[in-house]
Amino acid sequence: MARLRVAVVLGLLGIVAAQDEQAQDELTKLLCSEKGPGEWFRLGTSDCRNVIQCTEAGLQALRCPHGLAFDLELQTCDWKGKVKNCDNKVKTKKAQPLLRTLEPLCQENFLACGDGTCLDQQVFCNGVDDCPDGSDENACDMDNDPNRAPVCNQADCKLPDCYCYHDANEIPNGYQAKDVPQMITITFDDAINNNNNDLYQMLFTDRFNPNGCTIKSTFFVSHKYTNYTSVQELHRLGHEIAVHSISHNSSEEFWTSATEDEWEREMAGARVIAERFANITDTSVIGLRAPYLRVGGNNQFSMMETNSFLYDSTISAPLQDPPLWPYTLYYRMPHVCHGNAQRCPTRSFAVWEMVMNELDRREDPAVEAELPGCAMVDSCFSSKPTADRFYNFLNNNFNRHYLTNRAPLGLFFHSAFLKNDPEIFDAFTFWLDEIIANYNDVFFVTMTQVIQWMQDPRPVNQLNNYEAWREKCQVGGPPHCIGGTNCELNTDELPGETLRLNTCMRCPNKYPWLKDPLGEGFF
């Protein structure tokens, strides 16, 4: 079978294989030598769509669909214009450290680089190439990082400060599902401005949780094009403001590989901007989400710890039943690092992970075949869904949470998904009103309010007077400021651009940006 597969696979790729069986064996050995398990590679560079893989059953062929090319580094098909390694036949080989040898190569608490150099264990996987061959940074996933966080130890990890678990059926604080409020977190990413202000008013005005408080949302705000007068009003009404970066750099690889300093400029800088120009003075900006959901590994979470961010909401957990509760990162993540080329944290951090449980994209899971999950709601549909399909999708995912362990249900949106399709918006508001009318144990809350409940839980029958959820319960009166000032600004960091900054505060000297988040004009 393997010999037949060699000829067939090479034939599919337009390559004539030797007919002699021994020659085919030798060809297979030659092709598969020094190839990693499951590694896709090319035989030629004339067509970037074609790759092969060595398996126990022989060679396997793959041809990317028309318009796509195979990215050897990411090991997946991608848009042809984004693939920069079509001239290469194999994935770049990186030197590996000698972490597991029959006999120790180095003294205690030291490890060997790929070339045998011994270095302190602490410098491995610290984001800096310390080995002469750079191998100390080439085996840094959760299974290989020599300084990785330990597995969950529930004897030492206790709420309110720490939460980890071995079994997804577990519920924090040992609660029974019937006593747990089903929390739903509606979040929106990117800029807040006149394109979506009316959407947020229609969604959140005159809708109330069972405790009499208005339903709340969390906004992950990116800086450019944001109207900070609107941000200030959302904060006044009790919604949570979190950050989504200053630049929203369009390179996904940037976020994967950004240094700790770059993460600090983007996220801590975005918090400085929001606090100054939306007049947020209560230190409530404590969460972040990375653009494109690209996890920044240890650099991101080290920055968060240093800058007192309480939680991240970037890491996706693969679709599973039951879904996962949020957890702290003192201990190892309770699920795989999900997604192509993601770089999840491996070390221990004093940060909460508001994990993005993937949603089930099927309208009727009882009769439809299994499909991969999706994190952002608008990524769950390959084409425009009908209102009925979207409504069924919402109910299906609600039941996956409500009827099992009542892990918080995250509905993560970009505003355009609802704003640009009146039928989808109507289906969503119909579903919201139906849930509010029919359930007295479902609460639409912010990310921080989820953590507050986990740290200081109350059963459903005691939530009407739960103090943590009554702050800004119903906010009346007019906005602090109407209209604001539309400041016309520039900055040396973005030469040639004139940008507008709407704020109720005094206009800065320059447009706030990475090196100058206060817009003072010097850096």
Side-chain angles (χ1 to χ4, degrees):
M1 177 65 73
R3 295 187 179 102
L4 286 175
R5 191 178 294 274
V6 171
V8 171
V9 168
L10 296 183
L12 288 172
L13 297 177
I15 298 171
V16 178
Q19 297 302 310
D20 179 73
E21 291 184 0
Q22 183 178 355
Q24 288 190 22
D25 282 340
E26 292 175 356
L27 176 60
T28 301
K29 290 178 182 178
L30 178 65
L31 290 174
C32 296
S33 64
E34 300 183 359
K35 301 294 190 302
E39 178 185 342
W40 294 97
F41 58 95
R42 275 191 270 274
L43 292 178
T45 57
S46 60
D47 190 340
C48 202
R49 296 166 60 193
N50 295 324
V51 287
I52 60 174
Q53 179 188 64
C54 299
T55 72
E56 291 183 0
L59 296 177
Q60 300 273 8
L62 171 69
R63 182 190 293 270
C64 292
H66 183 72
L68 303 183
F70 194 87
D71 191 314
L72 289 173
E73 299 306 318
L74 298 180
Q75 290 285 288
T76 188
C77 295
D78 202 349
W79 296 111
K80 189 172 183 179
K82 296 177 65 176
V83 177
K84 308 301 181 185
N85 48 53
C86 283
D87 293 334
N88 300 337
K89 293 184 179 180
V90 296
K91 183 178 180 179
T92 304
K93 295 289 189 295
K94 296 182 178 180
Q96 298 295 306
L98 305 176
L99 301 179
R100 300 174 182 87
T101 57
L102 294 176
E103 296 291 336
L105 300 179
C106 305
Q107 67 194 76
E108 188 176 1
N109 297 323
F110 277 65
L111 295 173
C113 302
D115 63 1
T117 304
C118 292
L119 296 178
D120 190 312
Q121 174 178 318
Q122 296 302 315
V123 306
F124 283 72
C125 301
N126 66 350
V128 179
D129 288 340
D130 295 290
C131 287
D133 57 5
S135 59
D136 55 309
E137 301 301 316
N138 292 340
C140 294
D141 58 18
M142 285 189 288
D143 295 322
N144 292 296
D145 183 348
N147 303 295
R148 59 189 176 272
V151 296
C152 174
N153 181 342
Q154 291 178 319
D156 294 334
C157 181
K158 296 183 181 297
L159 289 165
D161 300 317
C162 181
Y163 183 64
C164 67
Y165 47 89
H166 302 291
D167 184 346
N169 288 291
E170 296 176 30
I171 296 176
N173 298 287
Y175 268 52
Q176 297 297 310
K178 64 182 178 60
D179 297 320
V180 176
Q182 177 59 66
M183 294 172 276
I184 300 178
T185 54
I186 299 173
T187 77
F188 289 93
D189 289 7
D190 299 336
I192 297 172
N193 50 41
N194 293 338
N195 292 330
N196 46 37
N197 274 332
D198 57 340
L199 171 71
Y200 303 144
Q201 290 174 8
M202 290 187 288
L203 281 177
F204 300 115
T205 301
D206 294 330
R207 288 190 168 91
F208 300 91
N209 282 319
N211 63 354
C213 299
T214 53
I215 67 173
K216 301 295 196 292
S217 179
T218 297
F219 294 86
F220 293 94
V221 182
S222 55
H223 168 53
K224 203 171 188 181
Y225 310 120
T226 281
N227 181 321
Y228 286 96
T229 301
S230 300
V231 175
Q232 182 172 345
E233 176 62 7
L234 287 169
H235 177 258
R236 184 185 78 91
L237 294 173
H239 299 289
E240 179 177 13
I241 305 302
V243 294
H244 194 48
S245 81
I246 290 179
S247 73
H248 207 287
N249 191 306
S250 61
S251 167
E252 294 184 18
E253 178 59 29
F254 169 81
W255 300 104
T256 301
S257 305
T259 65
E260 191 172 335
D261 286 344
E262 288 171 327
W263 275 101
E264 184 172 45
R265 283 187 175 179
E266 290 281 2
M267 298 300 181
R271 177 168 60 188
V272 167
I273 291 172
E275 289 178 337
R276 167 63 68 88
F277 298 104
N279 195 26
I280 299 174
T281 59
D282 57 5
T283 65
S284 62
V285 183
I286 53 177
L288 66 82
R289 177 174 291 158
Y292 312 107
L293 304 186
R294 299 306 300 189
V295 187
N298 294 331
N299 286 340
Q300 174 191 340
F301 290 85
S302 180
M303 178 282 298
M304 293 180 66
E305 198 174 56
T306 300
N307 288 274
S308 301
F309 281 99
L310 176 65
Y311 72 85
D312 167 73
S313 183
T314 304
I315 298 176
S316 296
L319 178 64
Q320 67 176 59
D321 291 316
L324 300 178
W325 278 82
Y327 52 84
T328 55
L329 286 166
Y330 290 110
Y331 293 89
R332 198 177 308 184
M333 289 165 44
H335 58 88
V336 298
C337 184
H338 185 52
N340 287 330
Q342 282 286 30
R343 183 171 294 169
C344 294
T346 58
R347 299 191 175 187
S348 178
F349 297 101
V351 174
W352 280 83
E353 181 55 44
M354 301 301 293
V355 62
M356 301 178 74
N357 285 299
E358 283 196 330
L359 300 165
D360 190 333
R361 67 180 75 223
R362 295 172 296 177
E363 182 180 2
D364 188 352
V367 299
E368 295 181 57
E370 290 187 8
L371 292 172
C374 47
M376 300 295 294
V377 172
D378 34 319
S379 71
C380 293
F381 305 97
S382 58
S383 59
K384 177 183 173 181
T386 64
D388 285 344
R389 183 185 176 194
F390 184 53
Y391 172 79
N392 291 335
F393 160 86
L394 292 169
N395 275 330
N396 169 43
N397 283 286
F398 173 78
N399 289 331
R400 287 181 54 243
H401 290 249
Y402 185 78
L403 299 178
T404 58
N405 64 353
R406 297 205 178 174
L409 168 61
L411 297 175
F412 312 122
F413 292 98
H414 294 98
S415 62
F417 180 77
L418 297 173
K419 173 77 174 179
N420 296 342
D421 192 329
E423 290 185 359
I424 293 300
F425 175 79
D426 288 344
F428 185 56
T429 53
F430 180 84
W431 179 81
L432 278 178
D433 292 334
E434 191 174 63
I435 293 292
I436 291 170
N438 294 335
Y439 294 89
N440 61 5
D441 53 1
V442 176
F443 292 77
F444 293 86
V445 296
T446 68
M447 293 282 191
T448 295
Q449 286 177 321
V450 171
I451 297 175
Q452 288 172 328
W453 185 89
M454 292 181 69
Q455 292 181 321
D456 182 24
R458 297 287 190 279
V460 169
N461 60 11
Q462 296 181 22
L463 287 175
N464 281 348
N465 297 312
Y466 182 40
E467 186 176 346
W469 286 4
R470 296 201 64 82
E471 184 178 359
K472 297 185 178 179
C473 179
Q474 291 191 41
V475 179
H480 291 314
C481 162
I482 298 175
T485 302
N486 204 11
C487 314
E488 191 172 295
L489 304 165
N490 55 43
T491 172
D492 294 342
E493 295 185 69
L494 298 171
E497 291 191 52
T498 299
L499 298 155
R500 295 185 180 276
L501 179 77
N502 190 283
T503 177
C504 289
M505 310 302 287
R506 180 182 62 82
C507 289
N509 298 324
K510 295 285 186 177
Y511 188 74
W513 203 246
L514 293 167
K515 297 179 182 178
D516 181 24
L518 293 177
E520 294 174 336
F522 49 84
F523 50 85

